[in-house]
Every structure is written in C-alpha cells, then in structure tokens.
Amino acid sequence: MKIKKLQIGILLFAISLIFGVTVFSEQQPPDPLEYREMPFVVLHYDVYLDLNRYTSRQVEGVCTITVARNRTIEGDKFIFHLERLNINSITSNGIDLDFEANGQAGSRLFHYTVGYPDEVSDTVDFVIEYSGVMTAENAGTMSWGGVHYEEAVLYALGVGFRAPYVSTTRHWMPCFDHPQNKATYRGTFKVPDNFKVASNGYLAEVRDTDEGAKEFVWEHNYPAATYLLTFAAGPYVLIENNDYKVPIQIFSLPIDSTDSEFAYSEVTAMNDCYESLFGDYPFEKIGYTNVRKGAMEHQTMVSMPRSIIVRLSVNKDSNNEIAAHELSHMWFGNLVTPLDFRHAWMNESFATYCESLWLRCRNGQQAYLLNQKGKADEYLKLISKEEGVFPLYDFPRDLPSSNYPMTIYEKGAVILGMLDWQLEQEGLKFEELITQYLQIFAYGNAQTNDVFRVIEYETDMNWDWFADQWIYRGGWPIFDIITFSDMPTIVSDEIEIRQVQEGELFINVPLEITYYLNDGSKLSEVVNISDPVTKHRILPENPSLVDSIKINEGNIVAGIYELRDFKSYVSVNEGNHVNIPEIYQEGNYLCINYQSAGGEVRIIIIDVLGNTILSRSNYNKSGMNSERIILENLNSGIYFLNITIKNETYTHKISIVN
C-alpha cells in the first residue's frame, strides 16, 4: 500500500535524525526557531516536586533525565535548560558531575551543559537536584508562560508569548526544552493534604506522607514535547466521566463545580466529531483543569481560564469553542508536534480551523461557513492592521507580533478552509488526507512541507503553489471589479476582475460572487482567479435578472482576499462624450475622477430607499478633476451615485465597505 511506503521512508528519515551517524564538527546549542541535530535524545523525564510552600512558588525538586547517546563528538556533553532556579547537584550512577551555564539567563540560547560519567554507556540517567522560586516569563502585563500562583492554585503554562525561548517548562523542571525531542514522563508532586494535583497522563498513585501531606504520581507513557507538560495543584474537586470510551477528568475549584459540569457538557460530542474526522483520540485521557490564565493545550490536561467557564455557564452557552479548540490540539500539536517553533502555525491554524469543523458537526454547514467568514473578516479588517502582514511560517515575533500572533490562528484557519475547498474540487477529502498525515507522523515531529508531501503523494498532484502563496508568503490578493453596461446599474452580462496587489500574482483564488436577483433571491458561484485580468460572464442565461452583486460573502467558501474597488462604467449617451468618471473607494474616502470642460458639477448620493444621503455642487476647472467624499458616516451597503456634468448625468450603483 502506497501509504506504507511513504511511512517507511519517513520513519527511516526520523531514525537517522535521532540515531544517525552524522559527524558533528561541534556541538551547537538548540535554537527554538531552528531544528539542530543533537548527539543525544531524551527518552524519559522523572520529576519529583515538593510544593508545600506553594504560596511563594518555592520548590525543591529532583529530576532524573534518561538520555540515549549518539557518540559522534569527542568530548560531547548533554544540554538542558533550567530558568531562574538553583542547581544543587548533578549525579549519574552516584558520580558527581560538573556542569556549566552557557549564555545569559533569560536569553534565547541560554542552556546548561554537563559531561557524561563515562565514554561507554549508551544510556545515561542524569539526576538533577534543584530548588528556588519558580517564575514566569518576563513580559510585563503579558506574563504568561511559566509558573503562577493565583486564586489558590499553583500551575504551569508551557509556552510564553514574549519569552525568546518560547517553551517555558524550564521554569519548573530541568529538561531539553525544545519541541524536536519528545519523551515519556512521570511526575510526583508533594502537596498539602487538602490539595489535588492535575498533570499529564494517568494518575498512577496517591500516597500519604509522614508530614501529613500527599504525593500524587502521574505517568504519561506517550512521548510529549516538554512545552506540553504541566501541573496544577490546588483545593480542586474532580469531575469524572468514566463511562465514555475515553476517561474524562475535569479539575475544578469547588465554587465552580456546577459551572464546570455545564461548560464541559459537550466535550464527548467534540471528541466524537474529531474522531470521525481524524481517527481515534490518541492518549490515555481527556483532561481539563481550571486556572486563572489559559487556554493551553498541555497533552491530556488542558489549562482553561476559570472566567470562561463561569461566563459560559452564566450565559447558558454549552458550545465551549475554546475547549473544542484545545481538544483538537491533541491531534494537531500533541500527536504530531512541530519540529521547531517556526512551524507553530501547524498547531494553531489547524486547531482554529477545527473550531469551524466542530460547528459544522454541531450545527451544520451554514454554521461552518459563517464561522469561516467571521475569521476572514477579523483577519483582514482587524488583525492584519494590528499585527502587520507576514507569512504563517517563520513569522516575526517582535511587537506588535508575538510567539503566537493571531495571524496564525484566524488567517491560518481560513487558509485551511480554502485548501479543504480546493481539494474537494479535485474530488478529494481534506479529512482523509490529513488523517494520513497524522498517522504517518504519529507521536513524532513534522514540519510544514511534510503536510504537503503527504497531500502530493496521495493525490499525485503538485501543491507547491498553495504552500508558496498562502503559507510561506504574506499578503493576499486585491481585486478591482469592473462592469460595462447600457443601464445605470452595476449589472452587465460580463465583469472584468483585475488583480491589483503589489508583488506576485496569486493563482487558483476561489473568488466567490453572489448575485442578488430582482425577485429577492440570491445565487452564489466561485470563479477561479489566476490571471492579472479575468473576464467572467454573469448568469449567461439571463443577466437582466441581477439587481446587485456582492463579493466574498462566504456562502460557498470564505477567502482571504480584498475587494478594493467595484467600478461601473455606464454608456449613457455614449456618442456625446468620451470621458466616463472613475469611481473607487480608498480607505474612508470615495474617490471620483472625471473630465470636465469647466463649470458646475453636482454630486448626489441616494440610498436604496430613495433617501438623499449627500448633495453638493462645485465649480471646477477645465480638465481632469478629483472629488473625495468622506464615508465614515455611511453604513456599508449599496448606494446610487449621480454626477451631473454640463447637463449630462452619469448614474452609478456603488458598494460601500466600511
């Protein structure tokens, strides 16, 4: 079977990454934004944390890191990360080992190195004892990744929005804190007797101690990237569903328990939806823990903001879209993890697209399309203006962007919707192809081109054009649409669509056109745009039925593109003049360019109900003249514009977008 051949090839490639025979000239420190082959792989973390002094975030910990060596560098060392905590000792096989800090704490490449106890062992256990105050990233008001004590709960979030190193598990556990290395995990947490601890995997044991405290032992036998590890300790109550095919555990503060039961009531339906699309749930349990900050998709134990849970319950809204988003990460980001954080879009774009897919499962195709259209509008009208314009892959991280800009969420989700639609036009199913991708890279790492490698292999088609223009490139198509008519409306039997953005052309753009008919009904179609100029016939059977046209309503497919202008050239009394006014919208202005022999020019704007919205007269010079009309007081919609020059009136139907 073709899929197996591809799997074997990728598996061999992955093995060569981990255990290959590459000869390294020197050992490079890991960069969160770059995959670098390491002469080792971490197999397992076993961490013990004494959290009894939780209010001050004080910790005493021991972490045993099991490392498989690849001895290709003479004098090679193990690299690990720990942020703002004190290392008391490092031993292996009872031997004290020297270690060294490299770089400046808090910087992107800061790390520790420690030598191996001997030159012959293939597998080594490093035992690191440490202590101090667990902290969070320094990000001013946006301190997010790291460890927090808030609302009686001590908890960890696995990534930072501003931290240059991105992954923040190093704030509570020594680890090789890079997504390229996934390992199994065991966490033991000592807490006060009235506390419960939530973490990854399954609860293997709860035991009493002589000090009147308890120890919670969590084990996770599936490989996880370190940024997906977490803990939350507090006076929780546990809400369980052990009757579902996957155990579900909700850790809630007692005051929120009723709200939590309501807010998470559709989690089983969410999981059923995603399993029907992408295959079985990949881990031991589905878990959510309520904390102050979130949401964060820790593997099998999502951190969710309490405020959202309470709000959903108060509003009697069981469609917990954020819980659905985070649940989908168990496939996108957790089952298959990006090789480094340049590929973070693969997590967030897919999970945000899964919000739309969940709504389709729940409420039907119209809900899916409405959600996609909302994301497209939010990106084009708000996000791109706030964050700037950049690609989904390897995006900038300096302000106003971040490690997780909204661009890779909302724009990425619509781009995947467009890919879904494009595949459907070829008779292919997006979900089936993405399931193949997930199966091939399950419990490992992938990078951007791996998604398209699988699609191309399975379809025998080249999809480089899609990745190049939508993933690796910023921006979007901008269109001018022009009609030519013998009637004073925008309608004709043909429209001309021009790509007018600066830079390269976009190809195979699904431009959706909706025709509003005279009888009050509407029809939509999608025109494939690849050329600088595309001419398209409007409803060739009977174009006179069309009253008006709208672009990108999202009735068939939502798109990332912009309509800059909708011009209508009207040929009234064509024999008496040759200069037709040029009309276009530019930001908050309606711009009118026209030729005049001098004298009075009268401009009137009328709405569809016949009300005069604007009326003004000017005396203009002979030659080319320009008018600019402020639109900020006009609602978006259809208007009629009358321009009278030398007793000749030009009537245009215009579409205003504010």
Side-chain angles (χ1 to χ4, degrees):
M1 188 174 172
K2 153 165 91 166
I3 185 82
K4 291 182 178 177
K5 293 179 181 177
L6 184 58
Q7 260 182 315
I8 291 170
I10 293 172
L11 178 62
L12 292 174
F13 171 72
I15 291 172
S16 71
L17 287 182
I18 298 173
F19 297 108
V21 294
T22 305
V23 177
F24 299 87
S25 58
E26 60 177 328
Q27 191 167 355
Q28 295 289 332
D31 187 321
L33 305 183
E34 179 182 342
Y35 167 75
R36 292 178 181 173
E37 193 172 347
M38 292 289 121
F40 59 82
V41 59
V42 176
L43 303 177
H44 183 70
Y45 294 101
D46 190 335
V47 63
Y48 178 91
L49 295 184
D50 184 340
L51 302 178
N52 268 309
R53 292 184 288 172
Y54 59 91
T55 57
S56 59
R57 294 186 286 178
Q58 291 276 345
V59 67
E60 293 184 7
V62 180
C63 185
T64 301
I65 307 176
T66 302
V67 178
R69 299 177 65 183
N70 177 9
R71 297 185 307 278
T72 56
I73 306 175
E74 185 176 349
D76 64 321
K77 296 182 178 181
F78 174 57
I79 290 174
F80 69 95
H81 303 91
L82 190 65
E83 191 68 29
R84 303 177 215 168
L85 289 166
N86 303 314
I87 299 175
N88 302 325
S89 67
I90 303 180
T91 61
S92 181
N93 296 328
I95 301 171
D96 289 327
L97 301 176
D98 293 330
F99 57 91
E100 181 180 6
N102 299 267
Q104 183 174 354
S107 66
R108 191 172 78 182
L109 298 181
F110 176 70
H111 64 283
Y112 287 91
T113 53
V114 58
Y116 292 94
D118 56 59
E119 295 295 325
V120 297
S121 298
D122 292 328
T123 303
V124 175
D125 288 336
F126 291 101
V127 181
I128 303 173
E129 297 187 17
Y130 61 104
S131 60
V133 177
M134 298 179 290
T135 57
E137 61 173 323
N138 286 333
T141 59
M142 195 54 186
S143 180
W144 206 83
V147 180
H148 306 271
Y149 177 68
E150 298 168 315
E151 299 176 342
V153 175
L154 182 71
Y155 65 97
L157 297 175
V159 294
F161 276 86
R162 303 284 182 219
Y165 38 84
V166 187
S167 184
T168 54
T169 298
R170 67 189 70 190
H171 281 265
W172 60 275
M173 185 181 90
C175 55
F176 181 70
D177 209 10
H178 193 289
Q180 73 187 56
N181 196 142
K182 302 172 71 170
T184 54
Y185 159 84
R186 175 184 170 98
T188 303
F189 303 90
K190 183 179 180 181
V191 293
D193 187 64
N194 65 324
F195 271 31
K196 286 184 172 63
V197 179
S199 191
N200 309 82
Y202 66 95
L203 185 60
E205 186 179 2
V206 180
R207 55 197 181 214
D208 296 322
T209 69
D210 295 337
E211 299 90 348
K214 285 185 176 179
E215 292 179 345
F216 288 79
V217 183
W218 287 89
E219 293 189 6
H220 190 34
N221 295 323
Y222 294 89
T226 50
Y227 79 91
L228 297 172
L229 301 179
T230 190
F231 71 88
Y236 282 126
V237 295
L238 177 59
I239 302 169
E240 292 185 276
N241 181 352
N242 292 316
D243 295 327
Y244 185 60
K245 55 190 169 185
V246 181
I248 298 174
Q249 297 178 350
I250 311 296
F251 286 80
S252 171
L253 291 177
I255 193 173
D256 302 328
S257 59
T258 300
D259 295 332
S260 294
E261 288 181 356
F262 177 85
Y264 294 110
S265 61
E266 296 196 41
V267 167
T268 56
M270 296 171 191
N271 190 67
D272 288 342
C273 172
Y274 294 145
E275 285 195 339
S276 71
L277 298 172
F278 306 119
D280 291 345
Y281 182 80
F283 303 114
E284 305 103 324
K285 77 167 187 300
I286 297 171
Y288 293 90
T289 179
N290 296 346
V291 294
R292 185 178 179 185
K293 295 184 178 76
M296 175 63 204
E297 67 270 17
H298 304 113
Q299 196 157 301
T300 74
M301 186 55 72
V302 172
S303 297
M304 284 285 290
R306 285 186 59 229
S307 58
I308 289 176
I309 300 307
V310 173
R311 187 191 71 211
L312 289 168
S313 180
V314 169
N315 294 337
K316 302 303 178 188
D317 179 10
S318 61
N319 176 27
N320 192 338
E321 199 168 305
I322 295 177
H325 174 109
E326 303 305 333
L327 180 63
S328 72
H329 272 303
M330 299 304 145
W331 287 264
F332 299 102
N334 299 11
L335 176 63
V336 180
T337 305
L339 196 60
D340 60 57
F341 286 112
R342 290 174 299 177
H343 307 278
W345 79 272
M346 297 168 66
N347 293 0
E348 300 307 338
S349 297
F350 274 96
T352 310
Y353 184 52
C354 282
E355 296 171 13
S356 301
L357 296 176
W358 156 238
L359 287 174
R360 187 177 70 187
C361 286
R362 186 180 191 265
N363 298 327
Q365 181 70 6
Q366 193 58 42
Y368 161 86
L369 289 169
L370 187 63
N371 189 260
Q372 281 279 285
K373 181 63 168 68
K375 295 180 191 305
D377 287 346
E378 185 179 4
Y379 172 70
L380 289 168
K381 296 177 182 179
L382 297 175
I383 295 169
S384 62
K385 292 177 173 57
E386 293 173 358
E387 293 182 342
V389 178
F390 47 75
L392 298 182
Y393 165 77
D394 197 17
F395 49 85
R397 291 160 190 268
D398 295 333
L399 289 171
S401 182
S402 70
N403 289 332
Y404 289 90
M406 289 304 297
T407 293
I408 67 172
Y409 292 74
E410 305 302 310
K411 180 184 180 182
V414 182
I415 295 306
L416 290 173
M418 293 167 67
L419 177 61
D420 192 336
W421 188 86
Q422 295 280 8
L423 289 166
E424 184 180 344
Q425 304 317 295
E426 302 295 337
L428 305 165
K429 289 191 175 182
F430 173 87
E431 294 86 354
E432 290 181 358
L433 292 168
I434 296 304
T435 299
Q436 298 281 40
Y437 155 76
L438 291 170
Q439 290 175 352
I440 291 169
F441 292 94
Y443 305 105
N445 298 88
Q447 51 192 325
T448 297
N449 63 7
D450 290 326
V451 178
F452 293 95
R453 280 174 65 196
V454 173
I455 293 174
E456 289 177 355
Y457 191 85
E458 292 300 314
T459 63
D460 292 324
M461 298 172 64
N462 188 321
W463 291 87
D464 286 349
W465 62 270
F466 189 95
D468 289 345
Q469 70 186 20
W470 293 120
I471 309 298
Y472 296 112
R473 199 166 103 203
W476 55 83
I478 301 175
F479 296 118
D480 280 352
I481 296 180
I482 301 171
T483 69
F484 300 89
S485 178
D486 292 327
M487 299 293 292
T489 68
I490 62 169
V491 176
S492 67
D493 61 355
E494 185 176 78
I495 59 175
E496 185 174 281
I497 305 162
R498 298 176 181 175
Q499 283 198 56
V500 295
Q501 73 278 355
E502 295 182 4
E504 298 177 65
L505 283 176
F506 285 76
I507 64 171
N508 297 322
V509 180
L511 178 72
E512 184 190 274
I513 303 175
T514 300
Y515 307 107
Y516 282 77
L517 306 184
N518 295 321
D519 63 3
S521 63
K522 67 179 182 180
L523 295 172
S524 296
E525 65 173 338
V526 176
V527 181
N528 186 71
I529 305 295
S530 294
D531 299 318
V533 178
T534 301
K535 293 187 177 181
H536 178 69
R537 292 188 64 80
I538 297 174
L539 295 181
E541 299 83 6
N542 196 346
S544 64
L545 296 176
V546 178
D547 175 69
S548 60
I549 297 174
K550 288 188 178 179
I551 304 299
N552 200 16
E553 280 198 328
N555 298 307
I556 300 175
V557 57
I560 296 291
Y561 53 82
E562 179 182 348
L563 178 62
R564 188 186 72 174
D565 191 17
F566 206 141
K567 298 189 185 79
S568 178
Y569 290 103
V570 185
S571 55
V572 178
N573 298 323
E574 188 169 350
N576 297 328
H577 59 80
V578 293
N579 294 301
I580 308 298
E582 181 184 28
I583 303 167
Y584 58 92
Q585 184 176 346
E586 188 175 86
N588 288 326
Y589 292 93
L590 182 68
C591 302
I592 308 169
N593 300 326
Y594 58 90
Q595 191 82 15
S596 172
E600 184 181 22
V601 175
R602 184 173 178 81
I603 298 174
I604 299 174
I605 296 180
I606 302 169
D607 67 16
V608 292
L609 299 177
N611 301 312
T612 299
I613 305 301
L614 177 145
S615 177
R616 75 185 190 195
S617 297
N618 294 323
Y619 285 88
N620 290 318
K621 66 182 187 302
S622 177
M624 182 61 68
N625 290 269
S626 297
E627 300 279 351
R628 285 166 64 86
I629 299 172
I630 298 176
L631 298 175
E632 58 187 17
N633 295 324
L634 292 183
N635 295 323
S636 298
I638 301 296
Y639 296 86
F640 294 95
L641 174 68
N642 292 334
I643 307 174
T644 303
I645 306 172
K646 282 281 189 177
N647 299 320
E648 286 189 356
T649 298
Y650 307 85
T651 302
H652 299 253
K653 188 186 286 185
I654 57 174
S655 176
I656 301 299
V657 180
N658 279 334

